[in-house]
Amino acid sequence: MTDKTPVERLTARLLCVTPPDAAQEERMRRFLSQKYGAEVALSIEIDPSLRSGFRLSAGGEVYDWSAEGRLQQFRESVEQRALHGLQDGSIIPLLKSGIQEFKLLATSSEIGTVLSVGDGIAVVEGLEHAAYGEILLFECGVKGMVQDLRRHETGCILFGDDEEIEAGSRVARTGKTAGVPVGEGFLGRVVDALGRPIDGGPEVKPSGYRPIEEPAPGIIERKSVDTPLETGLLAIDAMFPIGRGQRELIIGDRQTGKTAIALDAILNQKGKNVLCIYVAIGQKASSVAQLVENLRKRGALDYCIVVSATAGEEDTMQYIAPYAGCAMAEYFMHEGRDVLIVYDDLSKHAIAYRAMSLLLERAPGREAYPGDVFYLHSRLLERSAHLSDALGGGSMTALPIVETQAGDVSAYIPTNIISITDGQIFLESDLFFAGQRPAVNVGLSVSRVGGAAQTKAMKRATGALRLDLAQYREMEVFTQFSSDLDENTREQLRYGQGLMRMLRQKQYHPLSQHAQVIVLVCAMERLFLNVPDARIAAFRDAMLEHFEQEHPSLCTGLEEDRTLTDERKQQILSIAGDFLDKNAARFGRN
Ligand code: ATP
Ligand code: MG
């Protein structure tokens, strides 16, 4: 706007140490009137704090040619170098190279003024050319990010304490977009939404920086999902298998074991060369601390990064956190590694975004969420991918979590995220309280792409499990009211109940692939019919132990070639049958 709209009279301010002579003053005035197409009134002030040179401000821009400005430029360039690490732990070579390579720029930067500030948000006037997502630098050193562009004002979120900023403070554009430090150094650490360690450990030396917002890989850059990501949970791996690069939603009411599923999936990646990132959004600090402790205790923290923006932190931090986690995951994905990322949870993320948007005075839409709340999550989840071989073949699998109210999956945020993801694991309170844990609702859960990634052994062993369970559930409803059931129906019900029991799994007890195959083969061949419900879990665990100890070659064979031949199937059935016969007193029907 400054170059085009003719301004009648422009007031420029010149700060200098020694006043300019008449010729210099005339040159400045001519430069300004050409640039802004207006007559210029120049007010000259002496300011010894500049040390030497001058600083000219006009029309929202500042031309800095002062010693103070140059020192500031040098300070920034040295700081940038220091971020990439000190050589030999000494500052001298850093300063030397800094001086040798320092190029002085006659900077002209756009400067704005703070109009209002509060709740981690500032509204700024005068930054005509600021871009969405650009980082702004406030006078006191706090940084902010542009979030809302209006005709004469710019709304930005703050990455620091807003108490030092007040109406009238100066703000400069930086021309950079927001990024987070990334790298191997972050493994085993707990960091905040800006990648700063908060676990009391030493500083992390990053391998690089990545922008928090990055376009998702295109179709050509992707490969179809073909490798399983095993969660170790029988109910999921057998019926709703997840592939590397997939996005599978975990959805359910509060306290239905959502986090538990994600945590078990992380624990199950031990030794499988999959790195894990857990992003906590709006959680209680104590739950995050407990989760970290759990990971540490079970030897899983080494391959994990925890990004935490707890409920006590500003909404802006909660808003940034999943993007920061995603940027960290992208780094590994582009290095050709496999990554599992958990967003716990996106309903709280949407709520933080809503609060932020309302403070930015955006128009509220359905349920008071701003109009772009779908885009908020789609641009995040689209970044999960299985990259093509040409790009290294890395993958990012996402397990977003969403909390529902009274099982209502048709609310705004749940429907949005269901439509973005490749399937959902639906957890039900009733099942959870009835002791059926993980409380997976078989009818409402689905995995749309993972089937392609399931191993041959699992596919064969699973057989018609889903169908049988669906039939059982239907029959259960019908038979509740009738007392005289024929033997055939009674057996069907007993079989279904047995299957449901078999799918129960304690927390922190992931099952390996071969264990799952063995359990499934026995269950589908109705071996459990002879065991009373209450003892099925105990029988399953004892039988698996028997297989591990007495038939290790069968177990390792299954694990290696991942196929279930007829011969192996018969072998499993006869071993399991013998085991049940021998222990009939313990597990058999009396
Ligand atoms: P919130 O809505 O508070 O985030 P959530 O849905 O994430 O809850 P969790 O915290 O994972 O639920 O689980 C709730 C409780 O149930 C925890 O105490 C957890 O230990 C327990 N739990 C979860 N899964 C199982 C399981 N398979 N077996 C036994 N207990 C479980
Ligand atoms: Mg939880």
Side-chain angles (χ1 to χ4, degrees):
M1 246 172 68
T2 41
D3 329 70
K4 291 183 191 99
T5 333
V7 188
E8 307 244 292
R9 199 172 169 75
L10 178 84
T11 316
R13 187 159 164 250
L14 180 72
L15 291 178
C16 54
V17 183
T18 44
D21 58 26
Q24 282 170 331
E25 202 181 312
E26 184 47 36
R27 272 213 303 277
M28 277 180 199
R29 200 166 276 149
R30 210 167 339 123
F31 165 73
L32 289 175
S33 62
Q34 258 172 19
K35 168 135 197 199
Y36 295 103
E39 219 174 286
V40 178
L42 196 62
S43 81
I44 300 175
E45 287 168 43
I46 306 293
D47 183 355
S49 74
L50 294 180
R51 296 173 210 224
S52 76
F54 64 87
R55 188 183 282 157
L56 178 66
S57 40
E61 279 184 288
V62 175
Y63 302 89
D64 199 337
W65 195 253
S66 65
E68 183 54 35
R70 295 175 207 191
L71 279 174
Q72 179 64 28
Q73 276 184 38
F74 182 62
R75 200 176 299 141
E76 277 167 19
S77 98
V78 171
E79 266 172 14
Q80 270 302 318
R81 282 160 197 276
L83 277 177
H84 295 291
L86 294 178
Q87 297 147 2
D88 319 323
S90 153
I91 190 106
I92 306 289
L94 189 79
L95 282 175
K96 267 193 192 148
S97 72
I99 292 168
Q100 272 159 14
E101 289 161 33
F102 181 60
K103 286 194 197 70
L104 189 61
L105 303 167
T107 54
S108 86
S109 55
E110 227 178 294
I111 303 284
T113 318
V114 175
L115 284 181
S116 64
V117 62
D119 299 303
I121 280 170
V123 178
V124 179
E125 176 190 56
L127 297 177
E128 304 278 348
H129 302 96
Y132 179 82
E134 182 173 340
I135 294 292
L136 302 181
L137 188 62
F138 289 79
E139 224 171 341
C140 58
V142 171
K143 287 188 178 148
M145 183 167 98
V146 177
Q147 270 296 302
D148 198 32
L149 297 167
R150 274 168 264 161
R151 193 163 165 73
H152 297 296
E153 297 165 357
T154 309
C156 74
I157 58 177
L158 301 173
F159 297 145
D161 204 353
D162 62 13
E163 282 184 1
E164 289 173 51
I165 303 173
E166 49 191 32
S169 320
R170 293 187 342 145
V171 197
R173 282 181 58 193
T174 62
K176 295 181 199 141
T177 47
V180 281
V182 295
E184 314 275 335
F186 288 97
L187 290 170
R189 304 298 301 271
V190 185
V191 297
D192 72 1
L194 298 176
R196 296 175 297 208
I198 49 171
D199 52 5
E203 279 294 308
V204 181
K205 189 180 152 195
S207 315
Y209 280 80
R210 284 192 75 89
I212 56 170
E213 299 263 11
E214 172 105 328
I219 302 253
I220 306 290
E221 292 155 53
R222 294 178 188 242
K223 200 163 75 167
S224 58
V225 168
D226 60 8
T227 318
L229 185 118
E230 287 148 12
T231 61
L233 295 164
L234 191 56
I236 295 177
D237 288 348
M239 292 183 287
F240 315 105
I242 302 172
R244 294 192 184 174
Q246 188 182 339
R247 302 151 301 176
E248 183 80 5
L249 171 65
I250 302 174
I251 184 166
D253 281 3
R254 54 180 300 278
Q255 290 288 305
T256 48
K258 302 183 294 297
T259 307
I261 287 188
L263 180 57
D264 275 340
I266 291 177
L267 293 176
N268 196 47
Q269 303 313 314
K270 196 170 182 176
K272 291 198 169 68
N273 208 9
V274 176
L275 304 173
C276 301
I277 298 181
Y278 176 85
V279 186
I281 311 155
Q283 306 269 334
K284 279 185 295 199
S286 62
S287 340
V288 181
Q290 210 173 14
L291 182 123
V292 173
E293 197 40 48
N294 249 321
L295 289 173
R296 193 192 313 275
K297 211 162 61 191
R298 293 166 210 280
L301 197 59
D302 303 341
Y303 59 87
C304 289
I305 303 175
V306 177
V307 181
S308 164
T310 53
E313 284 175 58
E314 297 281 1
D315 292 326
T316 49
M317 287 295 165
Q318 296 182 35
Y319 160 63
I320 292 289
Y323 298 100
C326 189
M328 292 184 180
E330 266 170 352
Y331 167 78
F332 294 116
M333 177 171 75
H334 287 288
E335 295 274 298
R337 311 284 301 268
D338 293 309
V339 193
L340 168 69
I341 182 161
V342 177
Y343 303 109
D344 194 2
D345 65 67
L346 291 187
S347 1
K348 296 199 184 74
H349 184 231
I351 289 169
Y353 186 61
R354 170 168 69 185
M356 207 180 87
S357 301
L358 291 174
L359 287 167
L360 282 166
E361 294 180 9
R362 288 210 193 139
R366 181 170 157 194
E367 291 179 26
Y369 288 104
D372 63 346
V373 73
F374 183 89
Y375 182 51
L376 173 77
H377 293 139
S378 66
R379 71 175 192 264
L380 173 71
L381 293 169
E382 279 301 319
R383 286 160 73 180
S384 320
H386 187 194
L387 292 182
S388 66
D389 292 332
L391 289 174
S395 73
M396 183 191 333
T397 313
L399 294 180
I401 295 180
V402 160
E403 185 184 306
T404 51
Q405 308 290 331
D408 183 11
V409 280
S410 59
Y412 189 24
I413 300 300
T415 42
N416 275 356
I417 302 179
I418 285 174
S419 70
I420 297 166
T421 47
D422 307 307
Q424 71 272 350
I425 309 283
F426 182 65
L427 304 177
E428 215 172 25
S429 301
D430 289 349
L431 289 174
F432 189 83
F433 293 124
Q436 181 68 32
R437 302 175 185 182
V440 179
N441 177 315
V442 180
L444 288 179
S445 303
V446 65
S447 170
R448 295 190 194 97
V449 294
Q454 212 174 18
T455 63
K456 284 199 194 101
M458 278 301 278
K459 221 176 245 167
R460 178 131 196 249
T462 307
L465 176 61
R466 262 191 89 176
L467 213 63
D468 288 355
L469 278 174
Q471 260 168 10
Y472 158 69
R473 284 168 63 89
E474 211 165 85
M475 199 184 277
E476 195 192 18
V477 176
F478 274 109
T479 50
Q480 281 180 35
F481 307 107
S482 53
S483 49
D484 52 340
L485 300 170
D486 61 79
E487 180 51 35
N488 201 355
T489 314
R490 268 211 299 272
E491 186 180 313
Q492 273 297 333
L493 280 175
R494 231 173 31 231
Y495 168 62
Q497 273 157 5
L499 288 182
M500 292 298 280
R501 284 278 172 171
M502 174 200 73
L503 292 176
R504 290 187 186 186
Q505 204 170 330
K506 274 192 287 198
Q507 227 183 333
Y508 315 125
H509 285 78
L511 288 176
S512 57
Q513 157 114 184
H514 68 265
Q516 295 193 2
V517 170
I518 292 170
V519 172
L520 285 169
V521 166
C522 298
M524 298 312 290
E525 292 295 326
R526 308 197 169 205
L527 201 80
F528 292 174
L529 269 186
N530 301 324
V531 183
D533 271 0
R535 294 190 204 161
I536 284 185
F539 169 65
R540 177 192 64 192
D541 297 343
M543 180 185 75
L544 285 176
E545 209 181 304
H546 173 73
F547 268 93
E548 300 289 347
Q549 278 167 5
E550 307 296 326
H551 305 277
S553 63
L554 177 69
C555 299
T556 48
L558 269 173
E559 210 59 62
E560 272 159 18
D561 58 19
R562 309 206 148 197
T563 41
L564 180 66
T565 53
D566 285 336
E567 190 192 329
R568 262 191 198 145
K569 196 168 164 184
Q570 285 313 320
Q571 204 183 346
I572 292 173
L573 285 173
S574 78
I575 296 171
D578 286 349
F579 180 74
L580 184 57
D581 289 343
K582 278 204 199 104
N583 295 281
R586 242 168 102 199
F587 302 118
R589 220 168 263 284
N590 300 328

